[in-house]
Amino acid sequence: MDIHQEVKKRRTFAIISHPDAGKTTLTEKLLLFAGAIQIAGTVKSRKASRYASSDWMEIEKQRGISVASSVMQVEYNDHIINLLDTPGHQDFSEDTYRVLTAVDSALMVIDAANGIESQTIRLLEVCRKRRTPIITFINKLDREVKDPFDLLHEIEDHLKIDAIPFTWPIGMGKSFEGVLEIKTDKILSFKAGQDRYQSPDILSKNGSNKKNNLLFEKLFSKIEQDVTLIKEATPEFDIKKFISGEQTPVFFGSAINNFGVQEVLDTLIDYFPPPSYQPAIQRDVFPDEERFTGFVFKIQANMDPSHRDRIAFIKVCSGIFKRGMKLKISRTKKDIKTNNVVSFLSQKRDLINEAFAGDIIGIPNHGVLQLGDVLTEGENLQFTGLPFFAPEIFRSVEIKDPLKNKQLNTGLKQLGEEGAIQVFQLYKSNTLLLGAVGQLQFEVVAHRLKHEYNADVNILPVKFILARWISSKNNKILNKFIDSNTSNIAFDSLGNITFLATSQSQLKISQELHPEIEFHKIREYNKLLSVINDL
Ligand code: G4P
């Protein structure tokens, strides 16, 4: 087994979009085109079940949003595709940001009728900071949508990335007739409801078929001016600029009609980069190193009711994972056995025997693995860059039946470790506070506490409105600050000291009065970082 070859074959990416742009539909279609599934959840069957094969949790079915991120691995054209789904709803953006730390590139889906929407802007900011290469798919051309030039301008203006059209649409809505492939000057003609197994008719200028040639001329004449303009006005596609996140190739299509999906699939195999190095505090780790390293970017409890355990999702960063190997957790220095490691394709869990950099493996465990944990063959390593955001909304929980307190505590501990919610314990009190970035997180937690832990709760308002992790180079000063602010001090689930404020001005005054205390909006795993405070 040549590790270099294996690494080169991998493409690990996330699909990102604003909710409803068509992320789930495109994910299914990519899997379908790659041959990983036989029947996509067509509109009809999706309506019947109300959720896609990549959505797991009950609450997603009820609300029709992707709460949990999921992972899918498929083999296509001698490549291994690791596709990471992300929750589209902004209330779960923390989860999405963490998923973005585990990918080498991203596929952005835009609803052509709505253009760039708020959630896409936030996600793209994270991608830009990480210099993630992005391919753009502008979806729903079968509808009356925005002018394609306006869409390109929106991408450039709002997302600050050069948009290079690889295809160009001919018409839209009822008169959508297909796309021109800019590089080849070929037209792929559109048929609504096209089958995956039926390739679109390809029309070219000087083909051997007269009828096709005539049709080409007819369609091409409709966009000739546009195409001339594009060729003149857009810069040449530059792979280096793409890899550094400065240029994005743009495709137009209609995921639901299987149109444009093949082109995106082929382009991401050709252009997305294989796994690259991963920075750690101690050193940079390269994917084709012999020894295994990986980190936990996501934890999910109770993913499958028939396995009442937690799965830690691990991005392999280097070496070869072999089932059964013993791995060391850098944080605790403890070993973990890997006999039951699983890979993912939707709900089906498959046991895996081997994995390489770029792959995602799942280790079922009962809480020994936490978000950000690094696994190695013995080396002490700490990768950087896994963010935790200071919560923006706070609530307390009250158990309806006091006899279920134990279930509540177990549930909160596990959901906190999973990152579904942040749990704080107030200093010198037993009160537990919940912190979230979005309101919906509380609803999900209440729902999961009830259904997964049998703990029915009321979620109640509290006086705090913001939190900052605090640190100081001077321990004496830090302890003094804690002692004089006991009613505003709490500890997060890892024991990090947190300052809770009831207003912006309270925070401001505390900052001004205590210049030797640092207040952090973002913390990295187990380590407070002010460097990325501007995110
Ligand atoms: P998301 O994961 O980004 O939230 O979006 P999702 O794929 O669920 O798609 C959102 C809606 O857009 C769905 O309709 C879906 O069928 C529709 N859609 C996706 N691709 C296209 C396309 O190319 N053209 C058109 N016209 N519609 C598209 P829905 O009515 O909300 O859900 P459903 O009842 O169809 O499941």
Side-chain angles (χ1 to χ4, degrees):
M1 179 75 50
D2 183 341
I3 188 165
H4 306 276
Q5 289 304 323
E6 288 297 329
V7 170
K8 261 173 58 190
K9 273 162 69 170
R10 260 86 184 155
R11 301 288 181 272
T12 302
F13 66 96
I15 306 200
I16 56 177
S17 75
H18 194 85
D20 267 354
K23 182 164 60 70
T24 315
T25 311
L26 183 61
T27 304
E28 284 184 349
K29 296 302 167 93
L30 286 171
L31 294 177
L32 185 75
F33 275 69
I37 53 174
Q38 297 308 312
I39 309 157
T42 56
V43 182
K44 259 196 193 144
S45 66
R46 285 193 56 218
K47 276 221 166 103
S49 61
R50 280 309 304 171
Y51 72 108
S53 53
S54 59
D55 291 349
W56 268 303
M57 282 150 42
E58 181 72 17
I59 189 136
E60 302 190 271
K61 291 185 230 166
Q62 292 179 0
R63 306 194 67 119
I65 49 172
S66 281
V67 177
S69 314
S70 45
V71 176
M72 287 147 271
Q73 186 181 65
V74 294
E75 229 182 308
Y76 173 71
N77 257 2
D78 211 19
H79 285 79
I80 309 281
I81 295 176
N82 293 304
L83 194 163
L84 279 64
D85 193 14
T86 54
H89 198 285
Q90 62 169 15
D91 282 8
F92 303 102
S93 48
E94 265 198 283
D95 200 7
T96 305
Y97 295 143
R98 285 196 284 264
V99 169
L100 291 178
T101 64
V103 298
D104 303 306
S105 32
L107 176 57
M108 169 167 73
V109 189
I110 292 172
D111 182 330
N114 298 336
I116 302 299
E117 297 172 89
S118 57
Q119 182 64 356
T120 320
I121 296 177
R122 288 181 68 171
L123 292 170
L124 251 277
E125 271 171 24
V126 178
C127 288
R128 207 170 29 246
K129 279 195 188 343
R130 301 182 55 81
R131 295 180 154 257
T132 310
I134 291 158
I135 291 177
T136 303
F137 182 75
I138 299 189
N139 192 23
K140 306 196 187 180
L141 262 292
D142 58 318
R143 286 198 182 160
E144 289 307 318
V145 294
K146 290 189 174 179
D147 177 83
F149 279 109
D150 290 346
L151 288 164
L152 292 188
H153 288 147
E154 280 190 30
I155 295 175
E156 301 199 331
D157 289 351
H158 295 297
L159 305 179
K160 316 262 181 294
I161 184 168
D162 282 341
I164 315 288
F166 273 38
T167 64
W168 194 253
I170 306 164
M172 63 172 75
K174 287 209 168 68
S175 53
F176 181 46
E177 296 188 81
V179 294
L180 175 86
E181 263 187 355
I182 306 269
K183 210 166 70 182
T184 59
D185 263 343
K186 284 191 174 138
I187 287 175
L188 311 180
S189 73
F190 171 75
K191 273 190 219 89
Q194 183 162 290
D195 195 82
R196 171 255 177 279
Y197 300 100
Q198 187 192 346
S199 310
D201 287 342
I202 297 175
L203 311 171
S204 55
K205 205 176 217 158
N206 297 314
S208 52
N209 184 325
K210 231 182 182 177
K211 205 171 128 207
N212 272 4
N213 294 352
L214 284 174
L215 196 53
F216 176 91
E217 291 301 337
K218 190 176 142 227
L219 295 181
F220 187 73
S221 65
K222 295 185 182 182
I223 52 161
E224 193 163 5
Q225 271 186 336
D226 287 3
V227 174
T228 312
L229 199 64
I230 290 163
K231 287 187 174 167
E232 276 170 18
T234 41
E236 281 278 303
F237 175 68
D238 177 342
I239 189 88
K240 279 196 197 123
K241 289 192 171 162
F242 164 66
I243 297 294
S244 63
E246 293 163 73
Q247 283 191 353
T248 177
V250 177
F251 292 83
F252 293 84
S254 170
I256 201 122
N257 288 296
N258 297 317
F259 189 78
V261 178
Q262 184 70 55
E263 291 66 40
V264 169
L265 184 61
D266 290 338
T267 307
L268 64 88
I269 291 289
D270 288 346
Y271 292 138
F272 272 164
S276 173
Y277 73 94
Q278 188 80 26
I281 290 173
Q282 293 80 359
R283 64 185 185 92
D284 288 340
V285 175
F286 290 85
D288 47 7
E289 288 177 15
E290 248 173 59
R291 302 204 127 202
F292 175 91
T293 66
F295 70 92
V296 180
F297 67 94
K298 174 184 168 64
I299 290 190
Q300 190 157 340
N302 308 331
M303 223 160 71
D304 175 348
S306 58
H307 300 257
R308 302 281 310 176
D309 50 14
R310 281 192 257 184
I311 305 255
F313 291 65
I314 289 137
K315 156 92 183 268
V316 180
C317 299
S318 69
I320 306 177
F321 168 81
K322 288 208 158 80
R323 185 150 67 90
M325 79 194 294
K326 216 166 51 179
L327 294 173
K328 191 172 236 91
I329 308 166
S330 281
R331 176 178 53 89
T332 58
K333 311 273 180 290
K334 290 206 171 113
D335 288 337
I336 186 163
K337 279 284 209 80
T338 59
N339 294 327
N340 294 322
V341 165
V342 289
S343 70
F344 306 94
L345 173 56
S346 212
Q347 260 168 325
K348 220 175 81 204
R349 288 185 185 191
D350 294 319
L351 274 183
I352 53 167
N353 292 317
E354 247 182 4
F356 295 86
D359 291 344
I360 311 296
I361 55 176
I363 302 192
N365 70 101
H366 293 285
V368 294
L369 287 174
Q370 294 188 356
L371 280 172
D373 272 349
V374 175
L375 296 171
T376 68
E377 289 186 49
E379 187 182 358
N380 182 30
L381 263 189
Q382 185 56 63
F383 291 119
T384 54
L386 193 72
F388 287 80
F389 294 79
E392 288 160 21
I393 332 174
F394 300 85
R395 297 284 182 270
S396 65
V397 271
E398 180 189 75
I399 188 88
K400 288 185 184 168
D401 174 359
L403 293 176
K404 297 277 163 62
N405 227 355
K406 203 173 152 213
Q407 284 89 329
L408 172 68
N409 286 334
T410 310
L412 282 183
K413 186 170 177 284
Q414 293 195 357
L415 294 174
E417 284 168 0
E418 196 184 298
I421 196 92
Q422 295 189 45
V423 184
F424 296 89
Q425 168 121 38
L426 277 176
Y427 188 42
K428 293 191 173 163
S429 134
N430 283 333
T431 310
L432 288 179
L433 283 187
L434 304 184
V437 174
Q439 174 68 35
L440 221 46
Q441 278 178 266
F442 296 119
E443 291 176 38
V444 171
V445 163
H447 180 96
R448 292 187 58 187
L449 281 172
K450 185 172 171 184
H451 290 92
E452 293 168 25
Y453 299 94
N454 195 19
D456 207 359
V457 296
N458 293 318
I459 303 279
L460 304 169
V462 294
K463 60 181 181 177
F464 299 113
I465 65 149
L466 52 89
R468 292 288 180 270
W469 285 284
I470 54 171
S471 65
S472 174
K473 289 192 179 82
N474 186 328
N475 268 343
K476 260 192 186 161
I477 289 181
L478 186 62
N479 287 334
K480 208 171 145 207
F481 179 82
I482 292 171
D483 283 340
S484 51
N485 288 280
T486 45
S487 57
N488 293 80
I489 297 293
F491 296 93
D492 72 8
S493 53
L494 287 175
N496 292 306
I497 313 160
T498 317
F499 177 75
L500 300 170
T502 52
S503 65
Q504 279 289 350
S505 56
Q506 189 186 30
L507 172 67
K508 204 163 162 244
I509 292 167
S510 300
Q511 284 172 318
E512 282 166 7
L513 286 177
H514 304 280
E516 287 190 69
I517 303 280
E518 286 180 63
F519 295 77
H520 309 268
K521 218 170 152 180
I522 296 175
R523 81 171 164 77
E524 268 197 25
Y525 165 78
N526 249 352
K527 185 167 78 78
L528 297 170
L529 258 204
S530 44
V531 200
I532 48 170
N533 258 352
D534 61 325
L535 246 182

